[in-house]
Structures are given as structure tokens and as C-alpha cells.
Amino acid sequence: MTLKLALTGSIGMGKSTVAAMFVEAGIALFDADAEVRRLQSNGGALVAAIAARFPGTVVNGSVDRDLLGARVLGDRDELAALEVIVHPAVQRARAEFVEAHRDAPALLFDIPLLFETGGEMAFDKVIVVSASLEIQRDRVLARSGMTRAKFDGIIARQLPDDAKRARADFVIDTGGSLDQTRADVTRILACLGLPTGQ
């Protein structure tokens, strides 16, 4: 049976870095955010539906994520309307990914809003990536186009980090060195009886 591992954590916690380490160890990755970006890019399956529901958010055939974010951030109804469009398509893509890797010993699913959407029950183990609020804030505010107000808005709709940690099977603290983070990944793989890639 294929072990399904969920990787989650709030914005700026280092999920992409940790996911890459699992991939280096030979674990196939389904990145929900990357899939959404693909579906919203030129020719993507969600462009027409988003254009119809959120006029003005599609530019040159692709969804402008900044325009769309400005439309839905802080508005529960608009966000829910977007999720009705996006979530079924991502679920289909995830099912196709699982089928394509059905003989793998384990699969990793990078899902930023795992707990917020009640999705944790679909997985065998949940791995939460975490860091201190100061490190998180510094990382996020260093991103292009990010403001303190935008950061606060994103944090407000995410489950607090301590609550995520409490619900995790494993926690990886990315506040230290990359070597420490990689050691945590290796420890988790070994604990699960999976190849560590070393």
C-alpha cells in the first residue's frame, strides 16, 4: 500500500525547501499550489470559469494571481466562490497523480491549507513545517510585492502555527540550518521505514 504523506505549514515556513528534500530522497511530490498555477495559466482548465466569476482577473489568457488575491482576500464569500471552482479540479489532478504512482512506497502532498480545508483525514501521516514568527515574517516580507497588511491578511485565514504543530504526526522546524532540516527529513523517512536517499 502506498503511504500518503501530507506536508503543510503556514506561509513562509519553508514547505518548498522541505518538499525538495523529500524529492531528493526519491519521494514523488504533488504540489497543490503548483497545480493551481498550472490550471490558472494560459490554456489552463480554470481560466474561463475564473474569468466568468471574477471579471477583470484574467490578463493575456492567464489568471493574474495578484488581482485575484486582492478580490478574494478578506472576503469569505468571494474566497468560498473561488474554492468551489478550484478545489474539484485540484482533487481530480491529485487522483490522477496517485493513479500514476500507485506502485510507489510513499507519496508526498504539499497542501498549504490542509487543516483549514479539513483535508488531513485523507492522509496516513501529516508533516508540519514550522519556524518562529520572527523568521516567518522576515521570510514573507522579503518576497516581491508583499506588504505587512497582505501578510497579516494571509495569516488571519490560516490556522495558527501552534495548532498545526499540535495536530501533526511530525514537525520539522526550519528555523535552524539546512543540514538540521535535512536531518529531520531523513529521520522521518527512517521512522516510516522509507529509503532516506543516503
Side-chain angles (χ1 to χ4, degrees), residues 10-13 73 131-143 145-158:
S10 300
I11 185 172
M13 292 302 196
L73 213 57
S132 70
L133 177 60
E134 293 75 22
I135 289 174
Q136 177 190 27
R137 186 186 300 116
D138 288 348
R139 287 174 178 168
V140 176
L141 292 179
R143 295 181 182 182
M146 183 59 67
T147 65
R148 184 61 186 263
K150 192 172 178 182
F151 172 68
D152 290 342
I154 293 168
I155 289 297
R157 62 181 269 255
Q158 295 188 339

Side-chain angles (χ1 to χ4, degrees), residues 17 21 173-174 176-186 198:
T17 297
M21 291 177 180
D173 189 323
T174 63
S177 70
L178 283 175
D179 285 343
Q180 289 171 319
T181 301
R182 187 170 279 105
D184 279 348
V185 170
T186 300
Q198 295 186 348

Side-chain angles (χ1 to χ4, degrees), residues 8-15 112 116 128-129 136 155 158-161 164:
T8 193
S10 300
I11 185 172
M13 292 302 196
K15 286 185 302 301
E116 291 84 348
V128 167
V129 180
Q136 177 190 27
I155 289 297
Q158 295 188 339
L159 192 69
D161 182 55
K164 289 181 179 180

Side-chain angles (χ1 to χ4, degrees), residues 120-131:
E120 66 269 28
M121 299 308 293
F123 299 94
D124 299 302
K125 298 292 180 184
V126 175
I127 303 162
V128 167
V129 180
S130 180

Side-chain angles (χ1 to χ4, degrees), residues 38-76:
R38 186 184 71 76
L39 291 166
Q40 294 180 350
S41 65
N42 207 316
L46 297 182
V47 175
I50 290 172
R53 177 58 181 78
F54 302 97
T57 61
V58 172
V59 179
N60 297 326
S62 295
V63 174
D64 185 308
R65 291 169 67 87
D66 289 334
L67 292 174
L68 184 60
R71 185 78 65 87
V72 303
L73 213 57
D75 187 323
R76 287 184 184 275

